[in-house]
mmCIF file of all heavy atoms in Angstrom:
data_model
loop_
_atom_site.group_PDB
_atom_site.id
_atom_site.type_symbol
_atom_site.label_atom_id
_atom_site.label_comp_id
_atom_site.label_asym_id
_atom_site.label_seq_id
_atom_site.Cartn_x
_atom_site.Cartn_y
_atom_site.Cartn_z
ATOM 1 N N THR A 1160 27.335 -7.478 -21.363
ATOM 2 C CA THR A 1160 27.913 -8.800 -21.639
ATOM 3 C C THR A 1160 26.838 -9.871 -21.629
ATOM 4 O O THR A 1160 26.812 -10.761 -22.495
ATOM 5 C CB THR A 1160 28.983 -9.129 -20.583
ATOM 6 O OG1 THR A 1160 30.033 -8.164 -20.667
ATOM 7 C CG2 THR A 1160 29.552 -10.518 -20.812
ATOM 8 N N SER A 1161 25.914 -9.790 -20.666
ATOM 9 C CA SER A 1161 24.862 -10.797 -20.559
ATOM 10 C C SER A 1161 23.936 -10.771 -21.771
ATOM 11 O O SER A 1161 23.550 -11.828 -22.294
ATOM 12 C CB SER A 1161 24.057 -10.565 -19.280
ATOM 13 O OG SER A 1161 23.083 -11.560 -19.107
ATOM 14 N N VAL A 1162 23.582 -9.577 -22.231
ATOM 15 C CA VAL A 1162 22.713 -9.460 -23.404
ATOM 16 C C VAL A 1162 23.418 -9.989 -24.654
ATOM 17 O O VAL A 1162 22.813 -10.681 -25.480
ATOM 18 C CB VAL A 1162 22.272 -7.999 -23.602
ATOM 19 C CG1 VAL A 1162 21.549 -7.832 -24.938
ATOM 20 C CG2 VAL A 1162 21.356 -7.566 -22.462
ATOM 21 N N SER A 1163 24.707 -9.693 -24.795
ATOM 22 C CA SER A 1163 25.481 -10.198 -25.940
ATOM 23 C C SER A 1163 25.562 -11.715 -25.912
ATOM 24 O O SER A 1163 25.451 -12.384 -26.954
ATOM 25 C CB SER A 1163 26.889 -9.592 -25.929
ATOM 26 O OG SER A 1163 26.840 -8.198 -26.133
ATOM 27 N N GLU A 1164 25.753 -12.292 -24.716
ATOM 28 C CA GLU A 1164 25.784 -13.752 -24.584
ATOM 29 C C GLU A 1164 24.450 -14.369 -24.989
ATOM 30 O O GLU A 1164 24.409 -15.425 -25.635
ATOM 31 C CB GLU A 1164 26.120 -14.135 -23.139
ATOM 32 C CG GLU A 1164 27.556 -13.846 -22.741
ATOM 33 C CD GLU A 1164 27.799 -14.122 -21.258
ATOM 34 O OE1 GLU A 1164 26.795 -14.338 -20.527
ATOM 35 O OE2 GLU A 1164 28.963 -14.096 -20.833
ATOM 36 N N LEU A 1165 23.359 -13.708 -24.624
ATOM 37 C CA LEU A 1165 22.028 -14.198 -25.004
ATOM 38 C C LEU A 1165 21.883 -14.216 -26.525
ATOM 39 O O LEU A 1165 21.397 -15.199 -27.101
ATOM 40 C CB LEU A 1165 20.948 -13.317 -24.368
ATOM 41 C CG LEU A 1165 19.493 -13.608 -24.766
ATOM 42 C CD1 LEU A 1165 19.091 -15.019 -24.333
ATOM 43 C CD2 LEU A 1165 18.553 -12.567 -24.157
ATOM 44 N N GLU A 1166 22.296 -13.139 -27.178
ATOM 45 C CA GLU A 1166 22.212 -13.070 -28.639
ATOM 46 C C GLU A 1166 23.076 -14.147 -29.283
ATOM 47 O O GLU A 1166 22.664 -14.789 -30.270
ATOM 48 C CB GLU A 1166 22.634 -11.678 -29.114
ATOM 49 C CG GLU A 1166 21.633 -10.584 -28.733
ATOM 50 C CD GLU A 1166 22.073 -9.200 -29.146
ATOM 51 O OE1 GLU A 1166 23.286 -8.906 -29.010
ATOM 52 O OE2 GLU A 1166 21.218 -8.405 -29.612
ATOM 53 N N ASN A 1167 24.273 -14.356 -28.741
ATOM 54 C CA ASN A 1167 25.165 -15.374 -29.305
ATOM 55 C C ASN A 1167 24.596 -16.771 -29.140
ATOM 56 O O ASN A 1167 24.670 -17.614 -30.048
ATOM 57 C CB ASN A 1167 26.544 -15.288 -28.648
ATOM 58 C CG ASN A 1167 27.298 -14.023 -29.038
ATOM 59 O OD1 ASN A 1167 27.054 -13.472 -30.109
ATOM 60 N ND2 ASN A 1167 28.199 -13.573 -28.180
ATOM 61 N N GLN A 1168 24.020 -17.058 -27.975
ATOM 62 C CA GLN A 1168 23.464 -18.388 -27.724
ATOM 63 C C GLN A 1168 22.254 -18.667 -28.616
ATOM 64 O O GLN A 1168 22.039 -19.796 -29.055
ATOM 65 C CB GLN A 1168 23.090 -18.519 -26.245
ATOM 66 C CG GLN A 1168 24.299 -18.636 -25.323
ATOM 67 C CD GLN A 1168 23.920 -18.546 -23.866
ATOM 68 O OE1 GLN A 1168 22.813 -18.144 -23.526
ATOM 69 N NE2 GLN A 1168 24.846 -18.908 -22.979
ATOM 70 N N LEU A 1169 21.468 -17.641 -28.870
ATOM 71 C CA LEU A 1169 20.291 -17.820 -29.721
ATOM 72 C C LEU A 1169 20.637 -17.715 -31.208
ATOM 73 O O LEU A 1169 19.845 -18.115 -32.065
ATOM 74 C CB LEU A 1169 19.223 -16.787 -29.372
ATOM 75 C CG LEU A 1169 18.593 -16.904 -27.972
ATOM 76 C CD1 LEU A 1169 17.638 -15.745 -27.727
ATOM 77 C CD2 LEU A 1169 17.848 -18.231 -27.819
ATOM 78 N N GLY A 1170 21.799 -17.128 -31.488
ATOM 79 C CA GLY A 1170 22.214 -16.985 -32.882
ATOM 80 C C GLY A 1170 21.395 -15.965 -33.640
ATOM 81 O O GLY A 1170 21.209 -16.087 -34.867
ATOM 82 N N VAL A 1171 20.904 -14.936 -32.934
ATOM 83 C CA VAL A 1171 20.091 -13.913 -33.574
ATOM 84 C C VAL A 1171 20.304 -12.577 -32.867
ATOM 85 O O VAL A 1171 20.573 -12.539 -31.658
ATOM 86 C CB VAL A 1171 18.589 -14.299 -33.532
ATOM 87 C CG1 VAL A 1171 18.074 -14.318 -32.107
ATOM 88 C CG2 VAL A 1171 17.750 -13.350 -34.381
ATOM 89 N N GLN A 1172 20.238 -11.497 -33.616
ATOM 90 C CA GLN A 1172 20.385 -10.169 -33.034
ATOM 91 C C GLN A 1172 19.047 -9.704 -32.479
ATOM 92 O O GLN A 1172 18.034 -9.678 -33.185
ATOM 93 C CB GLN A 1172 20.893 -9.175 -34.087
ATOM 94 C CG GLN A 1172 21.228 -7.809 -33.520
ATOM 95 C CD GLN A 1172 21.815 -6.874 -34.565
ATOM 96 O OE1 GLN A 1172 21.819 -7.170 -35.752
ATOM 97 N NE2 GLN A 1172 22.307 -5.720 -34.129
ATOM 98 N N ILE A 1173 19.064 -9.365 -31.198
ATOM 99 C CA ILE A 1173 17.848 -8.893 -30.545
ATOM 100 C C ILE A 1173 17.758 -7.374 -30.600
ATOM 101 O O ILE A 1173 16.686 -6.814 -30.851
ATOM 102 C CB ILE A 1173 17.801 -9.372 -29.078
ATOM 103 C CG1 ILE A 1173 17.779 -10.906 -29.033
ATOM 104 C CG2 ILE A 1173 16.585 -8.798 -28.358
ATOM 105 C CD1 ILE A 1173 17.873 -11.469 -27.630
ATOM 106 N N PHE A 1174 18.887 -6.716 -30.391
ATOM 107 C CA PHE A 1174 18.932 -5.257 -30.380
ATOM 108 C C PHE A 1174 19.845 -4.732 -31.482
ATOM 109 O O PHE A 1174 20.867 -5.345 -31.802
ATOM 110 C CB PHE A 1174 19.448 -4.736 -29.025
ATOM 111 C CG PHE A 1174 18.569 -5.090 -27.861
ATOM 112 C CD1 PHE A 1174 18.891 -6.165 -27.034
ATOM 113 C CD2 PHE A 1174 17.423 -4.366 -27.583
ATOM 114 C CE1 PHE A 1174 18.087 -6.494 -25.954
ATOM 115 C CE2 PHE A 1174 16.617 -4.686 -26.506
ATOM 116 C CZ PHE A 1174 16.949 -5.752 -25.691
ATOM 117 N N GLU A 1175 19.452 -3.595 -32.044
ATOM 118 C CA GLU A 1175 20.316 -2.856 -32.959
ATOM 119 C C GLU A 1175 20.838 -1.631 -32.216
ATOM 120 O O GLU A 1175 20.069 -0.896 -31.613
ATOM 121 C CB GLU A 1175 19.546 -2.415 -34.204
ATOM 122 C CG GLU A 1175 19.120 -3.567 -35.103
ATOM 123 C CD GLU A 1175 18.351 -3.080 -36.326
ATOM 124 O OE1 GLU A 1175 18.084 -1.853 -36.407
ATOM 125 O OE2 GLU A 1175 18.017 -3.910 -37.175
ATOM 126 N N ARG A 1176 22.141 -1.424 -32.263
ATOM 127 C CA ARG A 1176 22.762 -0.324 -31.524
ATOM 128 C C ARG A 1176 23.369 0.655 -32.521
ATOM 129 O O ARG A 1176 24.211 0.277 -33.334
ATOM 130 C CB ARG A 1176 23.831 -0.862 -30.591
ATOM 131 C CG ARG A 1176 23.335 -1.980 -29.655
ATOM 132 C CD ARG A 1176 24.491 -2.820 -29.155
ATOM 133 N NE ARG A 1176 24.087 -3.881 -28.248
ATOM 134 C CZ ARG A 1176 23.649 -5.073 -28.630
ATOM 135 N NH1 ARG A 1176 23.526 -5.351 -29.925
ATOM 136 N NH2 ARG A 1176 23.334 -5.983 -27.739
ATOM 137 N N ASP A 1177 22.930 1.905 -32.479
ATOM 138 C CA ASP A 1177 23.514 2.933 -33.337
ATOM 139 C C ASP A 1177 23.456 4.272 -32.631
ATOM 140 O O ASP A 1177 23.085 4.359 -31.455
ATOM 141 C CB ASP A 1177 22.812 2.995 -34.696
ATOM 142 C CG ASP A 1177 21.325 3.308 -34.584
ATOM 143 O OD1 ASP A 1177 20.922 3.906 -33.561
ATOM 144 O OD2 ASP A 1177 20.560 2.965 -35.503
ATOM 145 N N ARG A 1178 23.824 5.337 -33.309
ATOM 146 C CA ARG A 1178 23.871 6.656 -32.686
ATOM 147 C C ARG A 1178 22.490 7.150 -32.264
ATOM 148 O O ARG A 1178 22.355 7.993 -31.387
ATOM 149 C CB ARG A 1178 24.491 7.660 -33.664
ATOM 150 C CG ARG A 1178 25.977 7.398 -33.938
ATOM 151 C CD ARG A 1178 26.522 8.429 -34.911
ATOM 152 N NE ARG A 1178 27.927 8.196 -35.183
ATOM 153 C CZ ARG A 1178 28.644 8.927 -36.034
ATOM 154 N NH1 ARG A 1178 28.049 9.931 -36.700
ATOM 155 N NH2 ARG A 1178 29.920 8.663 -36.233
ATOM 156 N N LYS A 1179 21.453 6.639 -32.902
ATOM 157 C CA LYS A 1179 20.096 7.057 -32.578
ATOM 158 C C LYS A 1179 19.572 6.395 -31.305
ATOM 159 O O LYS A 1179 18.564 6.810 -30.758
ATOM 160 C CB LYS A 1179 19.158 6.745 -33.744
ATOM 161 C CG LYS A 1179 19.485 7.535 -35.010
ATOM 162 C CD LYS A 1179 18.502 7.188 -36.119
ATOM 163 C CE LYS A 1179 18.812 7.960 -37.394
ATOM 164 N NZ LYS A 1179 17.872 7.626 -38.499
ATOM 165 N N GLY A 1180 20.249 5.361 -30.859
ATOM 166 C CA GLY A 1180 19.810 4.677 -29.656
ATOM 167 C C GLY A 1180 19.773 3.178 -29.836
ATOM 168 O O GLY A 1180 20.484 2.616 -30.673
ATOM 169 N N ILE A 1181 18.940 2.527 -29.052
ATOM 170 C CA ILE A 1181 18.822 1.070 -29.059
ATOM 171 C C ILE A 1181 17.460 0.696 -29.618
ATOM 172 O O ILE A 1181 16.426 1.093 -29.081
ATOM 173 C CB ILE A 1181 18.986 0.511 -27.634
ATOM 174 C CG1 ILE A 1181 20.383 0.881 -27.101
ATOM 175 C CG2 ILE A 1181 18.799 -1.001 -27.626
ATOM 176 C CD1 ILE A 1181 20.569 0.557 -25.641
ATOM 177 N N LEU A 1182 17.478 -0.047 -30.695
ATOM 178 C CA LEU A 1182 16.256 -0.471 -31.356
ATOM 179 C C LEU A 1182 16.086 -1.974 -31.227
ATOM 180 O O LEU A 1182 17.059 -2.716 -31.094
ATOM 181 C CB LEU A 1182 16.283 -0.072 -32.838
ATOM 182 C CG LEU A 1182 16.528 1.405 -33.135
ATOM 183 C CD1 LEU A 1182 16.653 1.621 -34.646
ATOM 184 C CD2 LEU A 1182 15.406 2.265 -32.566
ATOM 185 N N LEU A 1183 14.849 -2.409 -31.276
ATOM 186 C CA LEU A 1183 14.538 -3.831 -31.186
ATOM 187 C C LEU A 1183 14.314 -4.390 -32.584
ATOM 188 O O LEU A 1183 13.579 -3.808 -33.378
ATOM 189 C CB LEU A 1183 13.278 -4.021 -30.338
ATOM 190 C CG LEU A 1183 13.018 -5.381 -29.700
ATOM 191 C CD1 LEU A 1183 14.149 -5.756 -28.755
ATOM 192 C CD2 LEU A 1183 11.700 -5.359 -28.950
ATOM 193 N N THR A 1184 14.977 -5.514 -32.897
ATOM 194 C CA THR A 1184 14.772 -6.140 -34.198
ATOM 195 C C THR A 1184 13.445 -6.879 -34.213
ATOM 196 O O THR A 1184 12.831 -7.106 -33.160
ATOM 197 C CB THR A 1184 15.902 -7.132 -34.513
ATOM 198 O OG1 THR A 1184 15.836 -8.217 -33.569
ATOM 199 C CG2 THR A 1184 17.271 -6.470 -34.432
ATOM 200 N N ALA A 1185 12.993 -7.271 -35.409
ATOM 201 C CA ALA A 1185 11.732 -8.019 -35.518
ATOM 202 C C ALA A 1185 11.826 -9.329 -34.744
ATOM 203 O O ALA A 1185 10.897 -9.717 -34.015
ATOM 204 C CB ALA A 1185 11.405 -8.274 -36.983
ATOM 205 N N ALA A 1186 12.958 -10.033 -34.897
ATOM 206 C CA ALA A 1186 13.151 -11.278 -34.152
ATOM 207 C C ALA A 1186 13.223 -11.002 -32.655
ATOM 208 O O ALA A 1186 12.718 -11.782 -31.841
ATOM 209 C CB ALA A 1186 14.428 -11.979 -34.624
ATOM 210 N N GLY A 1187 13.847 -9.875 -32.306
ATOM 211 C CA GLY A 1187 13.954 -9.515 -30.897
ATOM 212 C C GLY A 1187 12.605 -9.297 -30.250
ATOM 213 O O GLY A 1187 12.394 -9.666 -29.091
#
Side-chain angles (χ1 to χ4, degrees):
T1160 298
S1161 183
V1162 171
S1163 295
E1164 289 175 349
L1165 174 62
E1166 291 177 320
N1167 291 334
Q1168 288 171 346
L1169 294 175
V1171 66
Q1172 187 176 10
I1173 298 174
F1174 297 100
E1175 292 180 355
R1176 307 158 179 84
D1177 60 24
R1178 292 180 180 178
K1179 296 181 180 179
I1181 299 171
L1182 305 175
L1183 201 60
T1184 65

